[in-house]
């Protein structure tokens, strides 16, 4: 589950557990084949999972087109592609970063 919170003219996105969790398998020779992940204890198709993740980003876009603050999981358990989900998110949503002393 993910959250969008709007407060004091700021829009905040917390991704919760939303991520492209199978990104490490996308760089394999045959990413469109079914795989078994011991970490997740399930069989999956990396390409189908990525399409589902990107579909979720499209659904979020229907609600908001930019954010002031984003919290997104960057998790080493994903392996080589651990930043892919975060990068895919920021490619689709402008993030207004305003860092000043009074923000901290």
């Amino acid at each position: 589950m993910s959250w969008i919170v709007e407060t004091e003219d700021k829009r905040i996105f917390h991704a919760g557990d939303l991520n492209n969790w199978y990104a490490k398998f996308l760089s394999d020779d045959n990413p469109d084949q079914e795989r078994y992940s011991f970490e997740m204890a399930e069989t999956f198709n990396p390409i189908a999972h990525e399409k589902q993740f990107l579909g979720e980003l499209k659904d979020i876009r229907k609600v908001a087109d930019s954010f002031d603050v984003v919290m997104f999981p960057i998790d080493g358990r994903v392996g080589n592609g651990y930043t892919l989900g975060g990068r895919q998110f920021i490619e689709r949503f402008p993030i207004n970063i305003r860092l000043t002393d009074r923000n901290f």
Side-chain angles (χ1 to χ4, degrees):
M1 179 181 286
S2 300
W3 297 267
I4 296 172
V5 177
E6 293 185 19
T7 182
E8 298 179 15
D9 298 325
K10 302 285 186 223
R11 185 178 294 148
I12 302 165
F13 179 77
H14 189 290
D17 64 354
L18 178 68
N19 201 347
N20 191 342
W21 289 109
Y22 300 100
K24 70 180 175 181
F25 298 101
L26 293 170
S27 62
D28 289 349
D29 292 336
N30 298 307
D32 203 24
Q33 290 182 347
E34 290 283 316
R35 309 289 170 99
Y36 181 80
S37 169
F38 292 100
E39 296 91 357
M40 304 292 193
E42 67 179 296
T43 301
F44 64 95
N45 178 306
I47 298 290
H49 187 273
E50 180 173 55
K51 287 179 184 177
Q52 181 182 11
F53 170 73
L54 297 175
E56 293 292 332
L57 297 185
K58 284 182 182 180
D59 287 345
I60 294 166
R61 184 72 176 201
K62 294 174 187 174
V63 177
D65 60 354
S66 67
F67 296 96
D68 295 291
V69 176
V70 171
M71 292 169 271
F72 199 93
I74 303 297
D75 192 323
R77 291 177 294 174
V78 174
N80 290 337
Y82 74 102
T83 63
L84 181 61
R87 287 184 289 122
Q88 289 169 319
F89 187 91
I90 62 174
E91 287 170 359
R92 288 159 176 78
F93 296 94
I95 301 168
N96 306 316
I97 301 172
R98 297 182 203 105
L99 298 177
T100 64
D101 290 340
R102 61 190 169 112
N103 291 111
F104 296 99

